[in-house]
Amino acid sequence: MKHKVKVTVLDKKLYPELQQKYCFDKNSGACSCYNVGDEFEFYRDDERDDFWHMGLNTLVKTSGNADMVAGGPKIPFCSEAWDAISRYIYTGLQGGSIMNGWMEKENTMIACCSDGTRPVVFKIERIDYE
């Protein structure tokens, strides 16, 4: 049995009142690294090792310019997002249970980056295949 991990951007939040109060750029807006609906596929096998390249070139679907999306062909995942979701990606690539007893399905996790004024919400899924 082999395992890959699919990551989907479910939502992007924006808290302008927090940006106004705390950020240097008071109008920085929503995260520009991802688009809602972006999809990524991670593999770790004899041919590819997407994990150790921070998701570079794992983008398989976007409504934006692929060259400007983190995880596209030119930009690895944002470090804040990577820090939040990489543990689930690594576990899934090894065939492990991502969040047994917490999520409805043990092969799925919902997580978000740690940017407190504009977090991005991700769905991480382990997909088993032959």
Side-chain angles (χ1 to χ4, degrees), residues 30-89:
C31 176
S32 61
C33 295
Y34 303 98
N35 304 292
V36 173
D38 285 351
E39 293 180 2
F40 308 86
E41 288 186 356
F42 286 79
Y43 293 86
R44 189 162 191 235
D45 53 32
D46 293 337
E47 297 176 26
R48 281 176 68 171
D49 191 348
D50 301 319
F51 182 83
W52 294 111
H53 295 102
M54 287 183 62
L56 183 66
N57 210 26
T58 58
L59 180 69
V60 294
K61 178 184 170 190
T62 186
S63 61
N65 177 349
D67 288 342
M68 302 302 294
V69 175
K74 296 186 176 186
I75 306 169
F77 263 63
C78 159
S79 60
E80 292 297 319
W82 189 250
D83 184 53
I85 67 174
S86 63
R87 68 197 84 210
Y88 304 115
I89 294 170

Side-chain angles (χ1 to χ4, degrees), residues 3 23 62 67-68 80 100 112 119 123 126:
H3 315 283
C23 290
T62 186
D67 288 342
M68 302 302 294
E80 292 297 319
N100 191 27
C112 68
K123 178 169 107 175
R126 186 195 75 228

Side-chain angles (χ1 to χ4, degrees), residues 105-116:
K105 297 179 181 177
E106 61 87 22
N107 68 324
T108 303
M109 180 59 185
I110 306 299
C112 68
C113 74
S114 58
D115 187 330

Side-chain angles (χ1 to χ4, degrees), residues 3-4 25 30-31 40 56 60 66 71 83 98-99 103-104 106 114 117 127-128:
H3 315 283
K4 67 180 181 178
D25 180 353
C31 176
F40 308 86
L56 183 66
V60 294
D83 184 53
I98 296 177
M99 199 46 75
M103 301 301 294
E104 186 174 295
E106 61 87 22
S114 58
T117 71
I127 298 171
D128 304 325

